[in-house]
Amino acid sequence: MPVRNAPARDAPEAGGTWRDSPHLRFWLMTGPFLAGLAVFVLVPIGWSVWLSLFDAHNTVTPTEFVGLENYRDMLADPAFRSSLVTFVVFAAIVVPLTFAGSLALAVLVNGVRRFQAFFRSVFFLPLACSYVAASLIWRGSIFPGVPTGVANTALRAVGVEPVAWLSVVDPPWYWLVLVTLRLWLQLGFYMILFLAALQRVPRHLYEAAALDGASAWTTFARITLPQLRAVSVAVLLLATVNAFQAFDEFYGVMATAQGYPPYARPPLVYLYYVAVGDGQDFGHGGAGGVLLTALIVVVALAQGRFTGLFRTRDAR
């Protein structure tokens, strides 16, 4: 007896209407997101690349094609190169501190037997605060440029003179303001990633280490860290990309300082003034944005290769 082929799983049943198609449900769920992605991300990116090839001063519909001249101008601009140095310095400071701090918090919270949900929520709560609001709090209340504020009050309590945190002269205390702001905002997010990975580590590994008399550091180095390799690579990559996209804290904290001090203006802030400032030079701004994106891609690929992110399972 011949067996009829079963109907395709994604085809509507016989007698059904187009409303019964699973494709309709898929597009209803993903359509708004894809439309927003196209309108607010893909189209602006494409338009920025297009503008970078034109002399676009005070207009988004330029007519004078200049090719790669805008890219050559940006690479020869000392201010843009200085902003790239800020880019690298900020990432070199923030990424290791973020990795170590979030991992330490995750280990501590994971070791708490009671009120673990409370501590997890407390450390994760800063993520709900916007970078702009946090910048205003840091600049106006904790580290203001005057002898008042939470930090200077604490210093006076231990007999230390107040510090001009946002001064443009040495020492560059503004770096402490910027770094602590970024750490407060993002440590909780990466802590959750590490905590989820820690809770998946097999308990019998720790029990075997305890029976062998391994110390706490040996257990952490030989068991915990190897088990966290995948999430560690993800945290390093995400933290690096986020550091390279720094804008809000630099603009919110340093905008009222006495001009931007050296190495306190990252590329996004500099490009903001180029494209939206008095000149409204969208051509050079677009070229700088493309160069910055290319740099981020190169750094991310180099980091992924260094950490073994692109290795196949067989190669490992």
Side-chain angles (χ1 to χ4, degrees), residues 45 49 71 75 80 84 87 241 244-245 267-268 271 286-303:
I45 290 176
V49 174
Y71 292 90
L75 291 175
F80 182 67
L84 294 179
F87 194 33
V241 173
F244 285 173
Q245 294 175 339
L268 288 180
L271 294 177
V290 173
L291 292 173
L292 181 60
T293 302
L295 180 60
I296 294 175
V297 171
V298 170
V299 171
L301 292 176
Q303 188 182 51

Side-chain angles (χ1 to χ4, degrees), residues 58-279:
N58 299 310
T59 179
V60 293
T61 56
T63 57
E64 183 179 351
F65 181 80
V66 296
L68 300 179
E69 183 178 344
N70 290 331
Y71 292 90
R72 289 192 294 267
D73 293 342
M74 293 303 296
L75 291 175
D77 186 357
F80 182 67
R81 294 201 302 266
S82 174
S83 69
L84 294 179
V85 174
T86 304
F87 194 33
V88 176
V89 171
F90 184 68
I93 297 174
V94 167
V95 173
L97 291 177
T98 298
F99 182 88
S102 58
L103 178 58
L105 286 178
V107 172
L108 291 175
V109 173
N110 189 57
V112 173
R113 295 184 179 274
R114 302 178 61 183
F115 304 109
Q116 186 179 110
F118 169 77
F119 290 109
R120 185 170 62 241
S121 301
V122 167
F123 290 124
F124 186 77
L125 191 60
L127 191 66
C129 182
S130 70
Y131 277 72
V132 176
S135 300
L136 295 176
I137 295 172
W138 249 246
R139 187 186 69 191
S141 300
I142 301 179
F143 297 102
V146 293
T148 60
V150 176
N152 282 330
T153 301
L155 291 179
R156 277 196 299 267
V158 296
V160 180
E161 291 296 323
V163 175
W165 300 104
L166 302 182
S167 174
V168 298
V169 297
D170 291 332
W173 292 112
Y174 54 83
W175 275 106
L176 179 64
V177 181
L178 296 169
V179 170
T180 54
L181 172 59
R182 171 58 72 100
L183 292 178
W184 182 77
L185 284 167
Q186 70 179 14
L187 277 183
F189 171 74
Y190 297 111
M191 180 206 69
I192 293 297
L193 299 182
F194 276 123
L195 188 60
L198 282 172
Q199 293 176 349
R200 298 184 61 183
V201 177
R203 304 305 303 175
H204 66 82
L205 298 178
Y206 294 113
E207 295 171 358
L211 291 176
D212 291 339
S215 63
W217 172 251
T218 302
T219 302
F220 178 76
R222 298 295 182 86
I223 297 178
T224 304
L225 277 182
Q227 293 291 321
L228 299 180
R229 182 185 177 279
V231 71
S232 297
V233 172
V235 167
L236 285 174
L237 184 61
L238 291 174
T240 302
V241 173
N242 287 335
F244 285 173
Q245 294 175 339
F247 174 83
D248 295 328
E249 60 266 55
F250 281 89
Y251 185 81
V253 170
M254 303 305 300
T256 58
Q258 303 169 4
Y260 276 91
Y263 306 119
R265 183 169 65 176
L268 288 180
V269 175
Y270 174 70
L271 294 177
Y272 173 80
Y273 282 109
V274 170
V276 189
D278 296 334

